[in-house]
Amino acid sequence: MHLYTPRLIEPLCRAALEAQKILVLIGARQTGKSTMSIALLANVAEERKLLLNLDDPFLRDRLVGEDGALIAAIERKAGRPWSAIERFHLVVDEAQRAPGLFEILKALHDQERHRLSIIVTGSSALGIHDPVAESFAGRARILVLHPFTMAEGFAHASGGATVGDSLGSAMSKLLSGSFSPHDFDAMVERARWDAPARQSYAAAHLRHPLFPEPSSSDQPELWVRDYLSTYIEKDVQSLAAVGNVALFRACLRQVAARTGSPFKWEPAAQEVGTTSVTLRKYAGLMEQTYNLQRLDAFAVNPVKRVIKAPKLFLSDPGLLWGLRGFEDLRLLEASGMLGAYMELAVICEITKWCALEPTAPELRFWSKTAVSEVGMVVSNRGYHIPFEIKLGERFQPRWLRGLDAFEADHASLGLAIPYRVLIHNGEPARIDERTFVLPLWCLT
């Protein structure tokens, strides 16, 4: 059994609680929200904390339907009247299942914030965002917990070691326009320690899931199969009116088949025998349960972003692997599909690090022609940082064509492009003072 691995988002969570905010943790099922909530309160005595799991329908009914039920539950755990409790910590898990509880939590927070801290978790935006917006306005801090970053996963597989501050500092600079050659050298030097193990871990997780439980498993496909079944049979049907489960599965597979390509709604819908309206609805549902990410096209003119077809990416390479039938690595290499896994892995990784930034960076892709395209552009603090993504291990100068085209196309607009980044599977290099070649394994 592995020890608990501290998550990179923990400092933001602790800061929210210290500021007497209601901490709202959202994200896909099994990303570790409950585990981290418990870890945040590890040093709190048992009688001063209570975890309520709202998957229990009888508990939901009692808390919402009976006056004073929540205070009574706290008093039972504390072993004393509420008036005699100096400090208490409440965790409400799967809160989207009882939206009626939010008004009760709001009233408690307004009256007792000096002695009651509240953590609310949920695996769907469908039941969380609206109640939070209505009840917790100005009171809550909403944070998204993704599956492990590769650095967290590697630390977890190594026995619970911490990720360390150096990588976090470097990634924050990389995504905010302040990355320097010195930062690049420090990142590479850090990754050189145990480099073969990092390379092996990064290569495996081009396909294997980075959710906490299976991230170091010898049989990750078993977990992926169970996850997809639970997601479809339990989460989706309980959160929205999905009458045709077989059609929903077909739509999931359609998203998997078109990973890395602009998603044309009409042709995709025709292939599964439905309408584009239904397909958009199901894709939206996948987004709201944090199992799908949409990348819009990069354009200075916002209207052009809407006109161009988006790219749809699943939230974890393991889900793509499962939906495509757990393809053998050799078949993926022979078919050329492994490049799509590489692109997905990098986009997922950068998305997770962006979630730690206070400025909410935007991720988009850029494409002008078949040879003039960039896998991802991170827009943050007025800067626009293009990332090209390549599967190969040996650097080839032609890989820079997309980055060159992106800069040339926007030169007359005065776009702030501080540097360019190429992520691949080989060795690190600095082509010049503004072009960094960064292997994926350096992010473990």
Side-chain angles (χ1 to χ4, degrees):
M1 179 180 292
H2 290 279
L3 299 174
Y4 170 73
T5 300
R7 305 298 300 270
L8 289 162
I9 204 171
E10 276 190 30
L12 299 180
C13 296
R14 296 187 187 279
L17 295 174
E18 289 172 4
Q20 296 187 351
K21 296 284 189 179
I22 297 174
L23 173 60
V24 180
L25 273 177
I26 52 179
R29 180 172 287 275
Q30 297 193 36
T31 55
K33 298 181 295 297
S34 302
T35 302
M36 194 181 73
S37 298
I38 293 170
L40 289 170
L41 305 177
N43 295 325
V44 176
E46 279 300 316
E47 68 273 12
R48 292 173 53 208
K49 59 187 177 183
L50 175 63
L51 171 64
L52 298 174
N53 189 335
L54 298 191
D55 270 337
D56 181 345
F58 297 102
L59 177 61
R60 293 199 302 265
D61 293 344
R62 187 165 66 251
L63 291 176
V64 176
E66 298 178 14
D67 290 341
L70 183 55
I71 290 295
I74 293 174
E75 290 177 332
R76 282 194 298 273
K77 186 64 186 287
R80 65 187 69 180
W82 174 242
S83 59
I85 300 174
E86 295 181 359
R87 185 68 177 160
F88 200 84
H89 304 266
L90 177 65
V91 179
V92 182
D93 204 13
E94 296 299 331
Q96 78 277 357
R97 300 195 181 281
L101 189 61
F102 282 70
E103 283 296 330
I104 299 171
L105 293 174
K106 167 192 170 183
L108 265 179
H109 174 77
D110 288 348
Q111 297 168 11
E112 310 287 357
R113 73 178 68 186
H114 62 286
R115 61 185 181 130
L116 177 65
S117 71
I118 301 174
I119 302 175
V120 171
T121 79
S123 56
S124 167
L126 291 172
I128 287 286
H129 277 164
D130 287 347
V132 165
E134 294 171 7
S135 304
F136 293 171
R139 302 169 176 86
R141 186 159 299 163
I142 303 175
L143 298 174
V144 180
L145 184 64
H146 293 279
F148 278 154
T149 63
M150 285 194 174
E152 289 171 324
F154 184 72
H156 183 71
S158 302
T162 58
V163 174
D165 295 332
S166 59
L167 179 60
S169 175
M171 288 301 295
S172 182
K173 290 180 179 180
L174 182 67
L175 299 173
S176 61
S178 58
F179 196 68
S180 69
H182 173 75
D183 296 318
F184 175 83
D185 293 340
M187 180 184 285
V188 171
E189 182 180 357
R190 168 197 171 275
R192 288 296 184 193
W193 290 94
D194 209 8
R198 296 180 191 277
Q199 291 169 337
S200 176
Y201 190 84
H205 287 281
L206 289 184
R207 293 179 300 152
H208 295 173
L210 275 162
F211 286 79
E213 183 180 337
S215 67
S216 55
S217 170
D218 293 332
Q219 294 183 305
E221 61 272 20
L222 297 179
W223 182 93
V224 172
R225 187 179 295 113
D226 289 343
Y227 181 90
L228 288 172
S229 176
T230 301
Y231 169 58
I232 293 171
E233 304 295 345
K234 184 176 181 182
D235 288 357
V236 171
Q237 291 196 81
S238 65
L239 292 169
V242 178
N244 190 335
V245 174
L247 178 60
F248 186 82
R249 288 197 191 97
C251 291
L252 273 173
R253 290 193 294 271
Q254 194 63 213
V255 170
R258 296 169 182 261
T259 292
S261 301
F263 199 89
K264 305 291 187 180
W265 297 100
E266 290 290 348
Q270 289 174 5
E271 285 197 25
V272 295
T274 189
T275 66
S276 62
V277 173
T278 298
L279 185 56
R280 286 174 188 270
K281 171 190 171 183
Y282 286 171
L285 180 58
M286 287 181 257
E287 280 188 90
Q288 290 171 315
T289 50
Y290 301 96
N291 285 286
L292 181 71
Q293 179 176 354
R294 177 195 304 254
L295 255 62
D296 291 317
F298 179 90
V300 177
N301 184 344
V303 175
K304 290 184 178 180
R305 300 178 199 169
V306 176
I307 294 174
K308 289 191 175 182
K311 290 186 178 183
L312 304 183
F313 295 91
L314 293 160
S315 64
D316 183 86
L319 302 185
L320 176 60
W321 186 44
L323 286 167
R324 290 185 61 87
F326 302 106
E327 293 167 302
D328 181 80
L329 180 60
R330 290 169 297 179
L331 293 176
L332 286 173
E333 290 173 337
S335 67
M337 185 63 191
L338 195 57
Y341 281 83
M342 177 68 177
E343 185 177 24
L344 172 60
V346 173
I347 287 171
C348 288
E349 196 69 11
I350 298 300
T351 297
K352 295 165 191 175
W353 285 101
C354 283
L356 305 175
E357 288 292 301
T359 47
E362 291 185 343
L363 274 64
R364 298 190 286 268
F365 73 95
W366 179 74
S367 178
K368 188 175 183 181
T369 67
V371 295
S372 298
E373 56 183 6
V374 170
M376 176 175 56
V377 180
V378 177
S379 299
N380 190 18
R381 302 176 187 267
Y383 295 109
H384 305 278
I385 307 158
F387 286 74
E388 185 59 293
I389 304 164
K390 296 296 182 182
L391 177 65
E393 296 182 4
R394 188 185 296 274
F395 171 74
Q396 302 178 41
R398 62 185 177 84
W399 288 352
L400 301 179
R401 290 175 185 169
L403 297 172
D404 293 338
F406 178 80
E407 289 204 281
D409 197 61
H410 297 95
S412 63
L413 301 176
L415 215 62
I417 306 173
Y419 39 76
R420 305 106 55 86
V421 183
L422 171 69
I423 298 184
H424 72 145
N425 279 322
E427 289 296 313
R430 277 195 283 127
I431 306 304
D432 53 47
E433 291 297 300
R434 295 184 56 257
T435 306
F436 302 103
V437 178
L438 190 64
L440 183 59
W441 57 265
C442 280
L443 304 187
T444 60

